[in-house]
Structures are given as structure tokens and as C-alpha cells.
Amino acid sequence: MPQPRDPGRVPGDRLFFGRRKGRPLRANMQALLDDRLPELAVPAEPASADPKTWFARPVRAAWLEVGFGGGEHLAWQARSNPDVGIVGAEPFMNGVASLLRHLENDESDNVRILADDARPMIDAMPAGSLERVFVLHPDPWPKRRHHFRRLIQHASIARFHDLLVPGGELRIATDDVAYLHWILARVTAHPGLRWTGGRLADWRTRAEDWPETRYEAKARREGREPAYLRFVKA
């Protein structure tokens, strides 16, 4: 079935949904984009598609966060796991600037940023190149006619599975109940991923190494209870 037409479609290109820019950035935030982003950007033409090679020093493993929002989670993980190279993809430039602000006082030699749609990069990565993948609070696109825009689909789950090393982990969070059901139906349908949840507390309580994000705090204030899902590659 052909996909619905959308004003975000560019002939010959993939559909992209969402914002690239929000309110105008303050001068100091724009300066971070101008000065720091080129230092931390994913190489435009990397010598290898293996993300572990994108860092200035050897790293034990590579992790990927797709849609890092304001960057709180990614910055915390980078500080807490200096032996891991963490790649973050976020097309919303205000969010990229926010991550750079969180990294401003860090050495941050284990972060690489793609300020664009993650999908071409994900398609190019070799199988077994990631130890963890994070998809935290993706847009639920609640209207039924927009469900095809959701990041979590059978095809994306299959790709994440391919990219993970054996024993690697896929972490997903959402505060939208309908999207939670959608996510569980698609991830548990994949035979190569095992859900670690066995009781209510397993998906209502964040792991100790899973910091709260600004978006998550807002959801709580507005009465939405987040769910934290962890899946392991068999």
C-alpha cells in the first residue's frame, strides 16, 4: 500500500516528520552549535561505517541514542561510561544545542552527534556494531492516520536487532499508553529480542543507570506515568 502523501516529502528522499528548528536560539547556544558541533559531529565521510572507529581514542563499545531530545540522558551516559563511545542522532537543532550545553564543561571525547535524520546512518552501520540502543519518548503520533510515522515499526525493530551484539540491549521509554501497547506488540513479535520485564515494577521503575529526562519530568507533572522497557538480544 503506498504511504500517504505528506508536505514533508522531498522527491527522491525519505519521508521526514518532525521539526528541525524551534524558537530562535540565544547567542550563547548558537555559538555552541557553531564552535562545538563540528568537533563532535559524526564524520561526514567516515573511513568505516563501524561507529567504534568514529572517536579520537579506542572505545570498548558503541551505543546509539535515536532522538536524544534535550540531551540530558546522553550527557549522563557519556560521563558515567567513559570507555563507551556514544552516538546521538537528533534533527531538532534546539535539542542539539541543549546537548552541547550539557557537555560544555566536560571533556566529552566519547560523544559523536548526528544533527539529522538517523535512518541513513543506521542503514549504513554494520551488523553487531552496537552494544546498546536507546529510543526514549519518541513522538507517539497519536492519530491513527499518522501511525506510519512512528519510529517503532517491525522494520526498525528488525534493524536494531541486527545492529546489536549478542546480549546487547534495546531500551525504549514512553508515557503514551497506546504507543506502549504498539511498542510491546512489535518488539515482542521479534523472536530475537527478549523482554526483561516480568512484573509491574520492572517497567514502572527506571534502572539505576537510566537518568530522568526533562521530557519525562514534564510527563509526570502532567499526570502521565512513563514505562521503561528493556529488551535483550538473544
Side-chain angles (χ1 to χ4, degrees), residues 31-225:
L32 282 173
L33 283 177
D34 296 338
D35 300 338
R36 195 77 196 283
L37 181 57
E39 300 174 10
L40 300 181
V42 168
E45 296 183 2
S48 169
D50 183 349
K52 292 192 291 296
T53 68
W54 298 349
F55 301 88
R57 59 176 174 83
V59 293
R60 177 187 62 77
W63 297 357
L64 170 66
E65 183 165 352
V66 183
F68 55 72
E72 301 93 352
H73 175 270
L74 192 153
W76 187 95
Q77 294 290 1
R79 287 192 298 269
S80 301
N81 300 278
D83 62 333
V84 173
I86 304 182
V87 180
E90 175 58 65
F92 184 49
M93 296 307 295
N94 298 59
V96 174
S98 177
L99 170 61
L100 293 171
R101 177 173 55 82
H102 287 296
L103 298 174
E104 192 171 7
N105 297 320
D106 297 344
E107 293 298 329
S108 306
D109 62 347
N110 64 329
V111 173
R112 288 293 177 266
I113 301 170
L114 178 69
D116 207 336
D117 185 352
R119 292 172 295 177
M121 178 183 68
I122 289 172
D123 289 346
M125 287 179 173
S129 58
L130 298 172
E131 187 178 69
R132 286 190 187 177
V133 175
F134 305 96
V135 184
L136 307 182
H137 298 281
D139 194 324
W141 293 106
K143 294 181 180 178
R144 187 178 182 86
R145 68 177 183 273
H146 293 157
H147 284 183
F148 74 97
R149 301 183 182 186
R150 289 175 167 176
L151 175 60
I152 303 301
Q153 306 284 351
H154 289 291
S156 59
I157 293 302
R159 184 60 183 148
F160 291 148
H161 171 268
D162 290 344
L163 290 176
L164 287 170
V165 299
E169 188 173 339
L170 169 63
R171 294 187 178 186
I172 305 177
T174 184
D175 56 82
D176 184 279
V177 174
Y179 201 11
L180 172 61
H181 294 164
W182 173 283
I183 292 166
L184 286 173
R186 278 144 188 81
V187 185
T188 58
H190 195 291
L193 289 167
R194 175 180 57 84
W195 184 25
T196 63
R199 55 196 177 94
L200 183 63
D202 292 336
W203 54 279
R204 284 301 190 197
T205 305
R206 279 184 291 110
E208 290 184 1
D209 64 344
W210 191 329
E212 184 178 60
T213 67
R214 174 184 8 176
Y215 186 90
E216 179 185 337
K218 177 183 177 182
R220 290 188 188 282
R221 289 195 303 270
E222 295 177 355
R224 301 188 304 276
E225 191 67 23

